[in-house]
Amino acid sequence: MSLQTLTYLFVGISFLVYITIAVWSRASSTKEFYIAGAHVSPLANGLATAADWMSAASFISMAGIVSYMGRDGSVYLMGWTGGYVLLALLIAPYLRDFGKFTIPDFIGDRYYSQFARMVAVFCAIFVSFTYVAGQMRGVGVVFSRFLEVDINMGVLIGMGIVFFYAVLGGMKGITYTQVAQYCVLIFAYMVPAVFISILMTGNVIPQLGFGSELNESYGGGYLLDRLDGMHRELGFAAYTEGARSSLDILFFTAALIMGTAGLPHVIIRFFTVPSVRAARKSAGYALFFIAILYTTAPAIAAFARTNLLNTVNNAVYSEMPGWFTTWENTNLIQFNDKNADGRIQYVADPEINELFVDRDIIVLANPEIAQLPNWVIALVAAGGLAAALSTAAGLLLVISTSISHDLLKRNLMPGISEKQELLFARIAIFFAVCVAGYFGINPPGFVAEVVAFAFGLAASSFFPAIVLGIFSIRMNKEGAIAGMIAGIAFTASYIIYFKFINPAANISDNWWFGISPEGIGTLGMLINFAVSIGVCRFTPAPPKDVVDMVLDIRVPGKPA
């Protein structure tokens, strides 16, 4: 059976499963729409949380980033994984005990301020739109390669699928759909990893193959030693050393950790279980399910990088395998024969280099490069779509909830009925899908850069406000609002200057203390903490009912 036929079959079956689940679990109330009725089992919520967390960035891009950046790319592994651990252990159980639907709900009530709520709504919408645009673009990339449709048509198809089960099922439908999507994406991720690990190292476990010796057909020697040598020969930085300073690595990783711990689409998942105890159990399940993929990613990155360098460098262009030409048609691989010798020169020097390879194709192209069976390649396509769609649905629900519940119900239109609120939530999803689809079809030039801004914004605004709101009974609205504004203003100014106003100055010699724009959110977070604590010392203490609420959510062992 041909690759395209198998891909249509695998993707079609998975889409049919998602739609069937959405119809079966459609929401009939705002509680079911927002938090799935708060009766999802810990195991199911752990699976759904893992799928929600592992977006197209985790499935498609992360191994590609690590394969190109080597040690420097490990910041994403440490940051995203560490952020989830921090969120699951330090924040989520307390927010679940608080019993509200959203993060703006918590911030608005904890800091007894509508202005604080509006700042939180803005942050939630901004971060969510940044992410969902990337997910839609990921859907388009997968469709354009494996289903051989126009990338824009791929985005439109993805929009239709997500819109159907998000509008119909809300969080209830999304939750059980994400359980199925996790099963698809993890199977699709692990099968080629196991295949390639056996081919290259003879080890069936990719995580162990990462540190093993290569088979004789690949030249022998330890995998990472071989990669370091190949990188040096081609002028790249050594794979296991990287180029970033240790301080920048620390701040970059911390920004990802703190920003991740403030992501609203993951936090809201802990409201879907019936109790705080269930929230902790589901966090443990999710950590295990996430670790399966995240511990495999470095191995896939090293396998893919080795295979790519062995395949393309100094190869005769006319003799390249079929996958190379197919990816060329998507413009995600581009060859420019500068010296007209018919051979591919893939080196670090931009004056000599003749090949561009988009790092986002590494996971998708890896099975083809390793010449695995067509059914494995088709499975990876279905897995990539599952990862992108699962996170897109969760993000769209956050946008919908922020508009219908936090902006309308809790602020502009407090008198609307539950039925009207549910209607507004579904209308909000429609418009959110349209906006996300637009940016998926017409990605603005700043999308790649603004990801750093999204993490910095979450780290320098949400994280201190949430942590201080839970663990400090003295923290008041004046301190929280001043801290959020100071953190956002500093972080935004730094990133906007180096990324947009004066991009030519975006080199380490010009950065404050050598901290990159991607890592400056950590400093913004520290400024937020300092301003919040300083201001609250000189302003009135919060009301007694707020103090009692904070003390109540910190009491362990309550039944719900």
Side-chain angles (χ1 to χ4, degrees):
M1 198 175 291
S2 70
L3 172 59
Q4 188 171 4
T5 302
L6 282 168
T7 306
Y8 273 115
L9 180 63
F10 284 16
V11 171
I13 291 173
S14 64
F15 278 11
L16 181 61
V17 170
Y18 305 154
I19 292 171
T20 301
I21 292 173
V23 173
W24 166 74
S25 57
R26 58 188 178 277
S28 58
S29 67
T30 52
K31 190 172 184 179
E32 287 188 339
F33 192 88
Y34 292 146
I35 57 172
H39 53 63
V40 178
S41 72
L43 177 60
N45 193 55
L47 287 163
T49 303
D52 204 354
W53 171 242
M54 293 188 294
S55 64
S58 293
F59 188 97
I60 297 174
S61 299
M62 184 171 61
I65 292 171
V66 176
S67 73
Y68 276 77
M69 298 176 64
R71 187 210 69 165
D72 291 348
S74 66
V75 297
Y76 294 94
L77 292 166
M78 296 185 293
W80 288 340
T81 308
Y84 180 79
V85 173
L86 183 64
L87 168 64
L89 300 182
L90 184 67
I91 295 175
Y94 295 102
L95 291 179
R96 172 60 186 82
D97 200 9
F98 185 70
K100 296 295 183 179
F101 289 153
T102 66
I103 294 305
D105 237 2
F106 171 79
I107 289 179
D109 288 1
R110 167 60 181 85
Y111 295 114
Y112 47 99
S113 167
Q114 287 297 92
F115 181 73
R117 186 190 305 276
M118 294 305 295
V119 171
V121 168
F122 168 77
C123 292
I125 292 175
F126 179 82
V127 172
S128 298
F129 265 126
T130 301
Y131 269 87
V132 80
Q135 307 311 309
M136 290 300 183
R137 192 63 178 178
V139 170
V141 169
V142 176
F143 270 116
S144 67
R145 164 60 187 93
F146 292 104
L147 301 186
E148 298 184 10
V149 299
D150 180 72
I151 191 169
N152 296 338
M153 179 57 67
V155 172
L156 292 174
I157 295 171
M159 287 170 58
I161 296 293
V162 173
F163 176 73
F164 181 84
Y165 66 75
V167 166
L168 187 63
M171 179 58 84
K172 185 179 179 182
I174 287 171
T175 295
Y176 294 109
T177 302
Q178 286 175 335
V179 171
Q181 287 168 330
Y182 176 81
C183 296
V184 172
L185 74 88
I186 200 65
F187 189 66
Y189 202 81
M190 294 304 299
V191 167
V194 171
F195 261 96
I196 296 172
S197 182
I198 294 172
L199 286 173
M200 295 183 66
T201 68
N203 201 316
V204 73
I205 302 174
Q207 291 89 335
L208 298 180
F210 180 56
S212 299
E213 292 190 54
L214 292 167
N215 293 330
E216 290 303 319
S217 58
Y218 284 87
Y222 282 97
L223 171 63
L224 292 178
D225 288 341
R226 181 68 181 275
L227 259 181
D228 274 346
M230 295 169 73
H231 267 228
R232 291 191 180 97
E233 287 176 11
L234 300 175
F236 297 104
Y239 192 81
T240 57
E241 295 177 8
R244 288 181 179 268
S245 69
S246 296
L247 180 65
D248 189 36
I249 289 286
L250 174 64
F251 271 68
F252 193 173
T253 303
L256 293 176
I257 290 174
M258 309 309 173
T260 296
L263 290 180
H265 75 287
V266 179
I267 291 175
I268 199 174
R269 290 238 51 91
F270 294 95
F271 291 85
T272 66
V273 292
S275 66
V276 177
R277 180 182 176 85
R280 292 185 184 276
K281 288 180 68 176
S282 68
Y285 282 126
L287 279 172
F288 171 75
F289 296 135
I290 290 170
I292 296 173
L293 186 144
Y294 270 63
T295 57
T296 306
I300 288 181
F303 296 154
R305 187 67 172 171
T306 302
N307 273 330
L308 180 67
L309 293 178
N310 281 334
T311 302
V312 303
N313 194 53
N314 206 34
V316 178
Y317 175 69
S318 61
E319 297 177 0
M320 289 299 294
W323 65 264
F324 188 92
T325 304
T326 308
W327 279 107
E328 270 192 303
N329 294 336
T330 67
N331 293 320
L332 297 175
I333 286 180
Q334 298 173 21
F335 170 61
N336 177 20
D337 194 2
K338 295 179 180 179
N339 58 8
D341 67 348
R343 290 184 173 273
I344 300 172
Q345 304 299 321
Y346 184 43
V347 295
D349 188 343
E351 298 297 323
I352 302 174
N353 182 55
E354 299 176 335
L355 183 67
F356 164 77
V357 181
D358 191 304
R359 64 189 62 183
D360 286 343
I361 75 167
I362 288 299
V363 170
L364 299 175
N366 197 24
E368 295 179 281
I369 298 173
Q371 300 179 345
L372 298 186
N374 282 345
W375 68 268
V376 178
I377 299 169
L379 183 64
V380 170
L385 289 171
L389 294 176
S390 63
T391 303
L395 291 166
L396 289 169
L397 189 67
V398 167
I399 296 169
S400 166
T401 305
S402 296
I403 294 172
S404 63
H405 184 72
D406 298 311
L407 185 61
L408 299 180
K409 177 69 174 179
R410 298 300 305 273
N411 197 350
L412 302 180
M413 302 169 63
I416 60 174
S417 66
E418 180 176 316
K419 185 176 180 180
Q420 289 173 315
E421 186 181 350
L422 191 58
L423 175 63
F424 282 125
R426 286 175 164 144
I427 292 173
I429 281 188
F430 170 76
F431 285 106
V433 168
C434 292
V435 174
Y438 173 80
F439 285 116
I441 294 172
N442 304 288
F446 58 82
V447 165
E449 292 88 352
V450 88
V451 167
F453 182 71
F455 275 104
L457 182 66
S460 60
S461 59
F462 272 148
F463 184 74
I466 292 171
V467 170
L468 292 172
I470 293 171
F471 297 103
S472 172
I473 60 174
R474 182 61 178 82
M475 183 51 55
N476 58 14
K477 66 178 181 181
E478 291 85 0
I481 292 172
M484 285 193 288
I485 292 174
I488 291 171
F490 171 78
T491 303
S493 299
Y494 191 93
I495 294 176
I496 289 172
Y497 175 77
F498 284 112
K499 291 293 186 180
F500 307 111
I501 296 177
N502 190 11
N506 189 25
I507 54 176
S508 58
D509 291 341
N510 297 324
W511 296 338
W512 283 16
F513 314 111
I515 302 171
S516 65
E518 292 83 358
I520 202 63
T522 300
L523 189 54
M525 176 200 68
L526 296 175
I527 290 172
N528 186 333
F529 272 117
V531 171
S532 298
I533 294 171
V535 170
C536 87
R537 299 279 183 181
F538 299 99
T539 48
K544 184 178 183 304
D545 61 320
V546 172
V547 174
D548 291 341
M549 176 182 65
V550 174
L551 291 174
D552 182 63
I553 65 174
R554 285 160 50 181
V555 175
K558 292 186 299 181

